[in-house]
Amino acid sequence: MYRKLASLVAVILTIAVFVTGCGSGTGQGKEGTGEKPTKGGQIVYGMTGDPVIFNPILATDTPSAFINERVYSGLVRANEKLELIPNLAEKWEFSDDGLVWTFHLKKNVYWHDGTKFTSADVKFTYEAIKHPDYTGVRRTDFKPITKIEAPDDYTVKLYLDKPYAPLLSKLTIGIIPKHIFESTPIAKMKENPANMNPIGTGPYKFKEWQKGQYILLEANDKYFEEGPYIEKVIVKFYQDEQVMLAALEKGDIDYMGSIPADEIARMEEKYSDRFVFKELPTNGYDYIGLKQTNPIFKDKRVRQALMYGLNREQIVKDVLKGYGTVMNANIPPVSWAYAGDVLNQYPYNPEKAKQLLEEAGWKPGPDGIRVKDGQRLSFKVLTASGNKEREAALLIAQQNWKEIGVEAIPEYIEWSVLCSQYLDVAKFESYLLGWSLGLDPDCYLFFHSSAAVDEKGQLVGFNDVEFKNADLDQLLEQGRTEMNQEKRKEIYVKVQKIINEELPYVFLFTRNRVSAMNKKIQGVVWSTLGPLFPEKWYIKQ
Amino acid sequence: MLNYVVRRLLQMIPLLIGISIINFTIMHLAPGDPVLLLSERNATPEELARIRALYGLDEPIHVQYVKWLGHVLKGDFGRSFVDGRPVMDHILERLPYTLYLNFIVMIIIYLVAIPVGVISALRQYSKFDHAVTFFTFLGQALPSFWFALLLIYAVGIKSNWLPIAGVATIGVNVKTSGLWATILDRAKYLILPVTVVSLGSMAGIARYMRSSMLEVIRQDYVRTARAKGLPEKAVIIKHALRNALLPIVTLLGFELPALFSGTAIIETIFSWPGLGLLSMRAIFQRDYQIVMAMNMIGATLMVLGNFLADILYVIVDPRIKYS
Amino acid sequence: MAVAEKRTSPNNLDQNFGGEALTLKPESYVRMVWRRFKRHKLAMAGLYFLLAMYLVAILAPYIATQDYRAVDPPNRLKPPSREHWMGTDHIGRDIFSRVVWGSRVSLSVGFVAAGVAVTVGTVIGAVAGYFGGWVDDVLMRFTEIVMSFPTFFLLLTIISIVERSIFNIMLVIGFTSWPGLARIVRGQFLSLREQEFVMAARALGASDARIIFRHILPNAMAPIIVSATLRIGSAILSESSLSFLGLGVPEPFPSWGSILNTGRTYLRYAPWITTFPGIFIFLTVLAFNYVGDGLRDALDPRLKD
């Protein structure tokens, strides 16, 4: 399901971003103020929703991920440039054919209960994900691994059936303790009480959970890297974003990850002495997926006309209040593979759109909607009900397109029904939704022809628009097997060019979120993905 | 009497079975396969089949029902699909908060609604009566979430000491801050949610008290008491009020399910960690086991509450004969 | 019922009726009820208000100043002005026009949902009460089963699994709120079927259906009418509660509840988005309650002139 994928990816991202070790994170604070970090104090986070399960291989929701990324560590993690750097693994190497990956683990790592962390834990975690009884959403990530070996306590070898570059970004997933979980059959892993009282290797230890109210974490004194400095982490849970914002204003919480766009200006004006406000681009985008096999969308000129005929700048300005960027292909600016200006920007140009539609044979009909061979240029756009920004964007699109003689009929459908009856069976004319993306630019599952519908009519990957392009297929395959990042970037720029020209989607925008952090918290590294390295933060004396 | 009680109890059995069947059927007719919650979106049919078998979802629905009922009779509502924890654990950790809020609300409602109802009945069609009618209707007609949000902005944010969400300040408890400070702290958190919930519910009780009182003061024995020349106060308190309160006593039976039922919207707005939030989250996440348990327990309490109300009625009103 | 969200208030608002049969002739009876009703000033005010609202709903296309769907992003979140009498929402739609059209949606949700509840409740109650015996047993057990479910959660559960259309929302609200009425109607039928006029009709060879619908039902109408009135109000509230949870009437149809829900994010600096639909929900439900109250007094046979 989309949401699942989205949140799964959010998990990967956040784990990668927040759980930390050394590297580029060190040294801030010191360089800024010349101050030395001191131990003590507390930070209070506000979150909406309730966490579900504190087990990184089972969790799919954002609040759980937020806790997991502080309690657990993965083999690798991402820095503020989305580059993967060591975490539990000290270093790693790939065999020349890319089929054997060897990881050398750090030796000074202990679980929160005092047990030593070894390669057996890594092997256990990855094998659990590959187990047939595993009920989680990470199986696909680990499919290319055929065998996991732990030749000694501090070495892990992964054997792959074919070179698969994106795998490294999946290894940000938190490692779970074998000695806690091995007694539970994998099918019953969810029932292990440690999921509610987790033991990890991360900078913070799980201390207390008042259900529906707050979670208390405490500094792990035996953390394997520098820090943590802040003694207590409290995460408060709210059920309503507006109420949480009110709590921020009252000073009940020190951090809110995403301030509603309409409130940002007022907040910045009123509280700039109390909070640091940071605008951060997110790693995802919203789009309108067009069924490529539909007679209307078959013609590339129609797809391009829909792009030219849509005032996406205005959507960003009015719907997102300017906190966002127009997208022209499938990789957002935060990624190292972003193509940027080399793509056609499709500036708003209704005249050009009309001209393209004329060329494609669509002539204005009696009611202003274009007609060709007796068919009206009219289609349904499905979207999940409840997301105000998407509803607003869709209404603007409907109005814009009407001006070029295209009728879009919005239909708002409950999320699970939208997934099970339309998207998962790939039956629709078009739909408006968004993707949250992983660290890796790999988009094989979205646009490769083999990820579309198989001969039995079953959707294989996420290519529900059934986009098929032989050149693109080849590039996507190369992108997965090429291990060199520079060369991969070249490949993915080509990918974006094809997608920008062929338009499986009408690309809309990527959002920027604005976070607020209490000024007393020092040493925060702001990156495109949020505040990094929480264990190196400290309270200003 | 004993006969009557036993017969009523026996009648409950088919009722509860009926409830369990409808409950189970609704959840299993729902589109959206729970297996999809447990697997990746692009899982193969084989993978799905394996997970389905793992959770016993491959069996025919009546077999699943019988198994589920068997467990329920032993007090086991199964485990949440979402986090794998026993459903009972989920319910038990939320129950105290819901009971706590509803209990306070109930006390306040009765303390206010009974005198208000009585007075407005005694002064039927007076200004006071009209005002009461207006306020009770207002309580019923005001969308509670709107009122709650208005309160948060109008009162909560402006005042520094009135909390807008949660149940207690972290770290304030009897051990660290002393008894009074703790009570004061908890009371502060109660003010807004209790205000919203009681305003909505007060209406019913006050109206009920009013009509009960109206009915009683028209009765012959009240007239007789007046005719005897008893002072008005004595007539009202000794004769009328006592009899008018009888039906209210039976309402206590209905309070049983009411105590247990969380108020989803209020709990959402005030981040109150009660059963309403649990049910709502379960409904949205399609965590069937929890939804079925909540519906089953709610319905059972309703049945018991009705039973209790009937028994109370028989006990307090000697005119009613049980057969 | 919305009250379900406000803890179960005993539903005895509906139940203060004597079991006496109303055996007066219809015309004079209606006139008498109307005369009594008129004395209840607030009920009359409520009635006028409701008539006005229904008029607005019927004439929505002529009253609305703009297209309720037309978005105008540059003019978003504008306070009330001469051009936008109630301001604009987050994408620049005219609140006044949406509230006007919303009256159509909200009132029809209330009307149809109450209609469904009253029809189902009346039929089940009538059949159970008239035939008695096993029919009564089966139907009343079923009624009790449905009644036993926590109403609002049952409503939420079903709404969350059916396709969310305005029609389904009406049906589901209706189908979850009939049991109370079924019980009242059954009670009426139980006592009425023993009355002489029923005996007489039966002796004259009238069919069961005729006796139920022509003879007994008109005499049991009083509580049904009152209950229907109150139920319309509570169905409107139910819809707005569902909208608050994102399960109400879907876009682009505006219901008062959904307008209120879109505005809740902007409550602090664009309060007009929520204020106007909030006031209309409030006044309409209030009006239904007063009309119901007035009807109850007017129909109560124990209140002599």
Side-chain angles (χ1 to χ4, degrees):
Chain A
M1 295 167 86
Y2 284 75
R3 183 171 43 186
K4 221 180 266 172
L5 185 89
S7 45
L8 146 66
V9 167
V11 174
I12 296 172
L13 268 180
T14 34
I15 287 174
V17 168
F18 287 103
V19 175
T20 163
C22 55
S24 55
T26 48
Q28 358 65 28
K30 291 165 203 163
E31 65 194 47
T33 54
E35 225 178 340
K36 255 190 95 141
T38 43
K39 289 210 175 202
Q42 66 172 33
I43 178 167
V44 186
Y45 296 91
M47 296 214 82
T48 45
D50 270 316
V52 174
I53 191 165
F54 304 119
N55 180 332
I57 72 171
L58 295 176
T60 53
D61 62 299
T62 317
S64 303
F66 190 83
I67 301 295
N68 287 340
E69 71 213 10
R70 281 162 174 73
V71 173
Y72 292 96
S73 326
L75 285 192
V76 300
R77 65 203 164 83
N79 66 10
E80 63 270 35
K81 293 171 200 149
L82 298 197
E83 294 162 341
L84 295 160
I85 55 173
N87 200 15
L88 284 174
E90 188 139 44
K91 57 183 197 252
W92 54 87
E93 65 256 352
F94 312 121
S95 65
D96 289 341
D97 56 7
L99 294 178
V100 185
W101 297 17
T102 309
F103 290 85
H104 303 280
L105 307 181
K106 285 179 185 157
K107 296 191 170 114
N108 59 334
V109 183
Y110 292 87
W111 293 100
H112 293 161
D113 63 0
T115 313
K116 192 116 178 44
F117 161 81
T118 68
S119 56
D121 295 308
V122 180
K123 182 167 153 53
F124 175 79
T125 304
Y126 294 171
E127 282 179 347
I129 294 171
K130 292 191 66 61
H131 194 283
D133 287 346
Y134 164 74
T135 55
V137 296
R138 290 159 206 266
R139 192 193 307 277
T140 312
D141 292 347
F142 283 77
K143 254 181 191 154
I145 303 179
T146 51
K147 193 168 65 165
I148 302 132
E149 261 180 18
D152 65 60
D153 274 0
Y154 303 105
T155 311
V156 175
K157 277 180 184 297
L158 305 181
Y159 294 87
L160 280 62
D161 53 1
K162 55 177 187 279
Y164 182 59
L167 179 64
L168 191 59
S169 70
K170 318 290 185 198
L171 303 184
T172 49
I173 189 167
I175 300 298
I176 56 172
K178 181 186 181 198
H179 65 283
I180 305 265
F181 284 97
E182 65 184 340
S183 54
T184 322
I186 301 297
K188 298 212 178 284
M189 181 180 264
K190 268 193 184 170
E191 299 175 12
N192 191 306
N195 293 327
M196 291 298 121
N197 197 2
I199 300 290
T201 52
Y204 283 94
K205 293 200 251 190
F206 196 87
K207 179 79 180 166
E208 188 192 349
W209 183 13
Q210 285 292 326
K211 309 270 157 50
Q213 299 178 57
Y214 66 88
I215 283 174
L216 175 63
L217 306 178
E218 271 186 352
N220 171 15
D221 296 333
K222 291 196 177 140
Y223 184 55
F224 58 90
E225 292 291 340
E226 180 199 342
Y229 296 111
I230 297 176
E231 204 62 45
K232 279 183 179 169
V233 170
I234 295 167
V235 185
K236 283 192 184 176
F237 297 101
Y238 295 85
Q239 302 302 326
D240 186 280
E241 196 183 41
Q242 292 296 312
V243 176
M244 186 161 99
L245 186 70
L248 183 77
E249 288 182 64
K250 283 191 83 164
D252 291 349
I253 54 176
D254 298 316
Y255 172 77
M256 182 165 167
S258 179
I259 297 173
D262 281 291
E263 302 274 5
I264 294 168
R266 184 180 63 86
M267 291 291 291
E268 283 182 336
E269 191 190 342
K270 208 165 160 191
Y271 298 105
S272 57
D273 54 328
R274 250 169 67 197
F275 295 105
V276 177
F277 293 93
K278 288 282 177 185
E279 183 175 349
L280 311 162
T282 57
N283 191 14
Y285 62 90
D286 283 26
Y287 64 96
I288 299 175
L290 309 174
K291 190 62 151 187
Q292 302 293 305
T293 52
N294 185 293
I296 290 177
F297 302 127
K298 250 182 184 159
D299 193 323
K300 186 166 92 182
R301 289 170 295 193
V302 174
R303 306 198 294 265
Q304 291 179 338
L306 291 178
M307 284 284 268
Y308 281 118
L310 180 57
N311 195 343
R312 297 175 298 152
E313 289 292 346
Q314 191 195 24
I315 293 179
V316 169
K317 184 168 147 269
D318 290 323
V319 177
L320 303 182
K321 278 260 161 180
Y323 295 100
T325 313
V326 168
M327 288 285 287
N328 293 302
N330 63 317
I331 295 180
V334 294
S335 171
W336 50 260
Y338 178 57
D341 294 343
V342 302
L343 303 177
N344 182 353
Q345 304 293 305
Y346 292 99
Y348 181 50
N349 188 343
E351 290 315 311
K352 175 135 193 183
K354 284 181 198 163
Q355 188 193 328
L356 281 164
L357 289 173
E358 292 284 339
E359 281 170 25
W362 292 94
K363 308 285 178 208
D367 58 351
I369 302 303
R370 288 169 189 273
V371 194
K372 179 181 165 184
D373 306 330
Q375 195 194 1
R376 292 174 78 240
L377 187 40
S378 165
F379 54 90
K380 283 183 187 168
V381 189
L382 313 178
T383 195
S385 43
N387 183 318
K388 284 176 197 167
E389 286 168 352
R390 288 189 188 142
E391 284 173 2
L394 186 46
L395 289 170
I396 293 175
Q398 186 187 17
Q399 206 152 315
N400 280 175
W401 284 342
K402 202 173 164 192
E403 285 159 23
I404 56 168
V406 176
E407 182 180 58
I409 305 164
E411 233 175 81
Y412 304 85
I413 298 172
E414 200 266 321
W415 174 258
S416 63
V417 178
L418 180 63
C419 281
S420 61
Q421 292 176 16
Y422 298 95
L423 304 182
D424 290 358
V425 291
K427 289 197 175 77
F428 54 81
E429 292 173 343
S430 71
Y431 67 90
L432 191 164
L433 275 180
W435 286 115
S436 282
L437 300 171
L439 294 167
D440 197 272
D442 173 41
C443 45
Y444 185 98
L445 282 176
F446 300 61
F447 301 115
H448 195 278
S449 56
S450 72
V453 177
D454 65 14
E455 60 278 7
K456 280 178 282 177
Q458 198 121 37
L459 183 62
V460 181
F462 304 122
N463 189 357
D464 44 21
V465 296
E466 295 177 71
F467 180 69
K468 288 176 185 169
N469 182 301
D471 294 341
L472 188 75
D473 282 356
Q474 205 189 346
L475 285 168
L476 289 174
E477 286 154 29
Q478 277 177 26
R480 280 190 156 187
T481 48
E482 174 59 56
M483 301 295 282
N484 179 299
Q485 187 166 314
E486 281 308 305
K487 287 183 186 154
R488 291 190 75 205
K489 177 164 181 176
E490 285 168 28
I491 293 169
Y492 284 107
V493 168
K494 284 184 201 156
V495 165
Q496 290 168 76
K497 278 184 181 160
I498 293 178
I499 286 177
N500 174 253
E501 168 75 16
E502 296 293 329
L503 297 173
Y505 301 158
V506 168
F507 291 96
L508 298 175
F509 51 75
T510 175
R511 293 180 173 78
N512 293 356
R513 63 182 169 131
V514 172
S515 304
M517 174 78 85
N518 193 315
K519 281 196 165 158
K520 73 175 185 186
I521 313 289
Q522 301 284 304
V524 182
V525 178
W526 290 95
S527 81
T528 53
L529 295 170
L532 298 190
F533 313 124
E535 81 287 359
K536 295 199 181 57
W537 306 349
Y538 59 96
I539 310 286
K540 195 178 181 177
Q541 293 301 304
Chain B
M1 179 75 187
L2 187 69
N3 250 338
Y4 175 74
V5 171
V6 170
R7 210 169 45 113
R8 284 296 312 266
L9 282 172
L10 285 178
Q11 279 173 352
M12 277 184 209
I13 295 171
L15 190 61
L16 288 172
I17 292 177
I19 289 169
S20 68
I21 291 177
I22 290 194
N23 187 9
F24 195 85
T25 317
I26 291 178
M27 290 325 293
H28 284 77
L29 285 180
D33 190 340
V35 171
L36 297 175
L37 287 175
L38 299 164
S39 54
E40 285 170 276
R41 187 167 175 248
N42 55 353
T44 63
E46 296 74 41
E47 285 167 352
L48 289 180
R50 187 169 175 113
I51 293 169
R52 187 165 282 130
L54 214 59
Y55 282 78
L57 295 166
D58 54 342
E59 290 171 297
I61 183 164
H62 60 274
V63 177
Q64 288 187 47
Y65 168 73
V66 171
K67 279 192 178 167
W68 176 75
L69 192 65
H71 284 119
V72 167
L73 289 176
K74 284 183 246 154
D76 173 13
F77 282 98
R79 286 171 181 270
S80 152
F81 277 144
V82 175
D83 66 7
R85 291 167 61 221
V87 171
M88 260 341 243
D89 287 9
H90 276 285
I91 291 178
L92 289 179
E93 72 200 16
R94 301 277 179 161
L95 184 61
Y97 295 103
T98 291
L99 283 179
Y100 167 53
L101 178 64
N102 284 342
F103 191 69
I104 305 266
V105 165
M106 191 173 122
I107 290 175
I108 289 181
I109 288 178
Y110 279 82
L111 279 182
V112 178
I114 289 179
V116 162
V118 169
I119 296 174
S120 73
L122 292 178
R123 303 192 193 150
Q124 198 182 6
Y125 304 131
S126 69
K127 283 216 174 81
F128 181 83
D129 185 29
H130 285 306
V132 167
T133 310
F134 178 75
F135 274 105
T136 52
F137 281 176
L138 184 135
Q140 279 182 333
L142 207 59
S144 57
F145 52 91
W146 189 45
F147 181 50
L149 287 171
L150 288 178
L151 270 188
I152 283 186
Y153 292 125
V155 186
I157 295 183
K158 300 232 166 85
S159 87
N160 268 329
W161 65 278
L162 201 60
I164 50 178
V167 286
T169 308
I170 299 172
V172 176
N173 55 45
V174 180
K175 244 186 268 164
T176 56
S177 326
L179 182 64
W180 286 109
T182 310
I183 292 179
L184 191 70
D185 178 67
R186 304 299 186 266
K188 283 192 316 196
Y189 282 87
L190 277 170
I191 292 175
L192 292 184
V194 165
T195 308
V196 176
V197 182
S198 12
L199 186 77
S201 314
M202 193 116 40
I205 310 280
R207 297 288 297 168
Y208 189 64
M209 189 66 220
R210 176 179 180 268
S211 50
S212 169
M213 192 72 187
L214 277 178
E215 188 159 330
V216 168
I217 53 179
R218 286 195 210 127
Q219 298 289 332
D220 292 340
Y221 60 85
V222 175
R223 280 190 212 145
T224 317
R226 275 211 188 103
K228 274 198 303 192
L230 283 178
E232 186 65 14
K233 222 178 183 175
V235 175
I236 298 302
I237 292 173
K238 255 188 106 176
H239 293 82
L241 188 57
R242 260 176 61 185
N243 284 300
L245 275 175
L246 291 183
I248 295 283
V249 174
T250 66
L251 286 185
L252 290 174
F254 295 110
E255 289 297 340
L256 189 67
L259 273 177
F260 179 81
S261 73
T263 45
I265 290 181
I266 302 304
E267 289 183 4
T268 304
I269 294 177
F270 293 108
S271 302
W272 194 269
L275 290 168
L277 266 184
L278 177 69
S279 314
M280 210 171 68
R281 210 183 67 191
I283 287 172
F284 280 111
Q285 292 178 334
R286 316 211 153 214
D287 202 342
Y288 297 132
Q289 304 289 351
I290 293 184
V291 179
M292 288 197 294
M294 290 298 298
N295 276 332
M296 200 61 218
I297 293 174
T300 308
L301 285 177
M302 189 75 91
V303 171
L304 283 176
N306 279 330
F307 167 71
L308 203 66
D310 286 355
I311 300 289
L312 282 171
Y313 209 74
V314 170
I315 292 172
V316 298
D317 194 338
R319 286 171 304 177
I320 295 200
K321 293 274 176 290
Y322 37 85
S323 53
Chain C
M1 291 193 306
V3 281
E5 190 45 32
K6 299 177 171 171
R7 302 168 82 243
T8 47
S9 60
N11 212 352
N12 298 15
L13 279 183
D14 301 347
Q15 288 174 359
N16 289 324
F17 290 96
E20 302 157 46
L22 303 163
T23 44
L24 292 159
K25 277 191 188 133
E27 274 117 336
S28 66
Y29 176 61
V30 167
R31 204 166 293 152
M32 181 197 78
V33 168
W34 174 237
R35 201 179 59 236
R36 282 192 189 156
F37 184 82
K38 274 197 293 193
R39 285 201 307 235
H40 197 319
K41 289 205 185 72
L42 284 164
M44 280 307 284
L47 186 67
Y48 286 132
F49 178 79
L50 291 179
L51 286 176
M53 279 328 294
Y54 273 99
L55 212 61
V56 167
I58 291 164
L59 301 176
Y62 306 101
I63 294 174
T65 49
Q66 297 181 22
D67 181 353
Y68 67 93
R69 289 160 305 188
V71 296
D72 180 14
N75 279 315
R76 63 200 298 273
L77 302 178
K78 287 276 184 290
S81 63
R82 206 176 324 152
E83 201 181 338
H84 301 285
W85 296 349
M86 296 182 182
T88 63
D89 71 3
H90 63 299
I91 38 179
R93 290 176 297 191
D94 180 49
I95 303 284
F96 174 75
S97 306
R98 291 181 68 71
V99 167
V100 166
W101 279 93
S103 67
R104 206 178 246 206
V105 176
S106 290
L107 290 174
S108 22
V109 167
F111 204 73
V112 176
V116 170
V118 168
T119 311
V120 175
T122 305
V123 169
I124 290 189
V127 170
Y130 179 77
F131 290 105
W134 67 269
V135 177
D136 183 32
D137 269 347
V138 169
L139 287 176
M140 281 302 109
R141 286 304 87 77
F142 179 63
T143 307
E144 276 170 36
I145 289 171
V146 178
M147 205 173 199
S148 299
F149 281 99
T151 318
F152 192 70
F153 285 108
L154 185 64
L155 182 60
L156 268 188
T157 312
I158 301 179
I159 290 277
S160 73
I161 61 186
V162 299
E163 199 164 331
R164 211 151 53 79
S165 67
I166 184 167
F167 188 63
N168 278 343
I169 284 170
M170 292 168 172
L171 284 185
V172 175
I173 294 178
F175 277 119
T176 48
S177 59
W178 57 267
L181 186 70
R183 285 189 146 188
I184 298 169
V185 173
R186 170 183 174 267
Q188 295 271 308
F189 268 69
L190 275 181
S191 67
L192 289 172
R193 69 171 183 173
E194 306 300 339
Q195 302 277 324
E196 282 138 20
F197 69 96
V198 177
M199 307 279 185
R202 205 173 282 139
L204 288 171
S207 68
D208 286 336
R210 195 179 161 80
I211 294 175
I212 290 178
F213 291 108
R214 292 301 298 272
H215 296 280
I216 306 186
L217 197 56
N219 286 293
M221 275 322 273
I224 297 175
I225 291 171
V226 174
S227 167
T229 314
L230 297 174
R231 217 134 267 168
I232 298 176
S234 65
I236 291 174
L237 268 185
S238 289
E239 193 279 326
S240 72
S241 297
L242 287 176
S243 283
F244 176 83
L245 298 173
L247 294 172
V249 174
E251 290 275 351
F253 298 111
S255 78
W256 288 336
S258 66
I259 304 170
L260 214 162
N261 186 41
T262 33
R264 116 175 127 107
T265 323
Y266 313 97
L267 188 62
R268 216 158 346 154
Y269 48 87
W272 52 87
I273 307 178
T274 46
T275 307
F276 292 105
I279 286 175
F280 278 98
I281 293 175
F282 170 62
L283 287 179
T284 306
V285 178
L286 196 64
F288 274 115
N289 282 354
Y290 270 121
V291 170
D293 196 46
L295 279 173
R296 182 179 22 247
D297 286 354
L299 293 165
D300 190 335
R302 283 171 305 177
L303 291 176
K304 301 281 174 325
D305 287 75

